Amino acid sequence: MKKSICTLSAVVALLMMSCTEPAYINGPGDNSQNLDSIPVTIPDTNGIVISVDSAIAICNALAANQETPDRYKISGVVMKNTTNPMNVPGQYTNINFDLSDNGKTSISCYYINNLNNHAFRNSNDVPRAGSKVTVIGTLTMYQKSGGSATPELKNGFIVRIDSMVAPGPFPGCPEPQEGQISASDAVMMALQLEDKKESEEFYDVLGVVTEILEFNAGKATYIISDGKSYFEIYRGIGMNNQEFPTAAYITANDTVVVHCKLKNYSSTAETADNAYLLSTTNKKYNE
């Protein structure tokens, strides 16, 4: 049964008694990050300042997929990115990440834009794990059909950046051998497909793992690159067409060859499900 707005308002009132607006010290930012000028902020964004734990409590008071009428500001440290920010140079996109202000509990931030509520245009602008940001949006208790409910801040944007963790140096990628294609080629070929369509052929894609987006039940969603483009391996599995034994079997800086079908998913270049490794430099597979 849906909770009443009165009940929700009472919860908010109790949780907000000690909350105050942080002192923003910079002028308006734009859609690019200059790491020498951090912190950057967008002033005059109306929203209720709240902690992560308070936001989760508000979400728990909501019925499934009910959304708050008010917007909330939450500051914290990015725990992980759960989406690939930039598969296509120049492609406009928003991102998903988990945010924590105590290192223990976190809230999912879903469909988040950059400063000025602009879409992200550059992968270097995306706050990676360890970055400190403030984000504004509405709260919901998101629940897929048949799935568990998740506290979520949605459809918001970043209003303050206190620190940014720069991407690590790219270690370099070998040239594809005969029968292989590069991550850049995979991106180009995938985006030539119709939306939501996958290729008829399988390809062997060579690249270096740059980021693990998700690991769940032996399957990993991760990004590979040849230093030019980012290609997403969606719910891929490991060697011998078997699930990964643990998350340690797929890590950043592994050089991999992935056997897969290509897919264009709403202008994101990725693989179809169950793409598997033909080779990897991961030490767990080579012990």
Side-chain angles (χ1 to χ4, degrees):
M1 184 173 66
K2 289 189 175 181
K3 308 286 194 303
S4 70
I5 296 299
C6 291
T7 301
L8 175 60
S9 300
V11 173
V12 174
L14 288 172
L15 293 170
M16 291 308 305
M17 291 178 64
S18 62
C19 293
T20 57
E21 176 76 14
Y24 291 150
I25 62 174
N26 272 38
D30 58 18
N31 194 43
S32 62
Q33 318 301 349
N34 181 345
L35 300 186
D36 295 330
S37 65
I38 285 176
V40 293
T41 185
I42 304 298
D44 303 324
T45 50
N46 294 323
I48 302 170
V49 180
I50 197 169
S51 70
V52 168
D53 282 343
S54 296
I56 292 172
I58 292 173
C59 292
N60 287 332
L62 297 170
N65 297 321
Q66 181 185 2
E67 187 174 342
T68 58
D70 296 317
R71 297 194 304 172
Y72 295 86
K73 285 180 185 175
I74 305 175
S75 298
V77 175
V78 176
M79 301 300 290
K80 67 175 181 177
N81 293 320
T82 56
T83 192
N84 179 25
M86 289 298 299
N87 278 320
V88 187
Q91 179 73 25
Y92 294 78
T93 188
N94 43 39
I95 64 171
N96 308 330
F97 55 88
D98 291 351
L99 194 70
S100 176
D101 58 5
N102 58 18
K104 299 177 182 178
T105 55
S106 63
I107 189 166
S108 297
C109 298
Y110 185 68
Y111 271 28
I112 303 302
N113 276 332
N114 200 356
L115 297 168
N116 285 322
N117 204 10
H118 290 166
F120 287 88
R121 297 181 175 91
N122 189 311
S123 61
N124 289 337
D125 294 345
V126 172
R128 286 168 167 77
S131 300
K132 185 177 181 181
V133 301
T134 300
V135 64
I136 190 170
T138 56
L139 298 176
T140 187
M141 196 67 169
Y142 176 69
Q143 185 172 20
K144 288 184 179 179
S145 178
S148 58
T150 303
E152 189 175 274
L153 182 143
K154 63 182 292 189
N155 297 329
F157 59 98
I158 291 173
V159 295
R160 180 179 171 92
I161 300 172
D162 285 289
S163 67
M164 283 282 281
V165 174
F170 187 74
C173 183
E175 290 295 319
Q177 298 180 6
E178 185 176 353
Q180 299 175 352
I181 63 172
S182 67
S184 292
D185 288 339
V187 169
M188 178 187 67
M189 294 165 67
L191 294 177
Q192 290 174 349
L193 299 168
E194 294 182 28
D195 188 31
K196 307 293 176 65
K197 299 294 184 181
E198 60 185 54
S199 63
E200 295 182 1
E201 301 85 3
F202 284 89
Y203 295 90
D204 298 339
V205 185
L206 171 70
V208 174
V209 177
T210 62
E211 190 171 8
I212 310 299
L213 304 181
E214 182 180 32
F215 186 89
N216 185 28
K219 294 187 176 184
T221 298
Y222 57 99
I223 307 301
I224 66 172
S225 179
D226 57 359
K228 301 174 184 177
S229 297
Y230 298 94
F231 183 58
E232 181 172 318
I233 314 302
Y234 181 73
R235 291 182 57 80
I237 55 179
M239 295 287 291
N240 303 314
N241 204 7
Q242 301 292 316
E243 293 178 349
F244 292 105
T246 69
Y249 283 74
I250 181 72
T251 59
N253 294 337
D254 293 348
T255 298
V256 297
V257 176
V258 183
H259 186 69
C260 60
K261 286 188 174 183
L262 311 180
K263 187 174 183 178
N264 178 358
Y265 186 82
S266 298
S267 297
T268 293
E270 63 180 37
T271 66
D273 289 11
N274 296 320
Y276 64 88
L277 296 182
L278 291 178
S279 68
T280 178
T281 59
N282 185 284
K283 293 181 179 179
K284 285 289 185 180
Y285 278 116
N286 293 279
E287 287 178 344

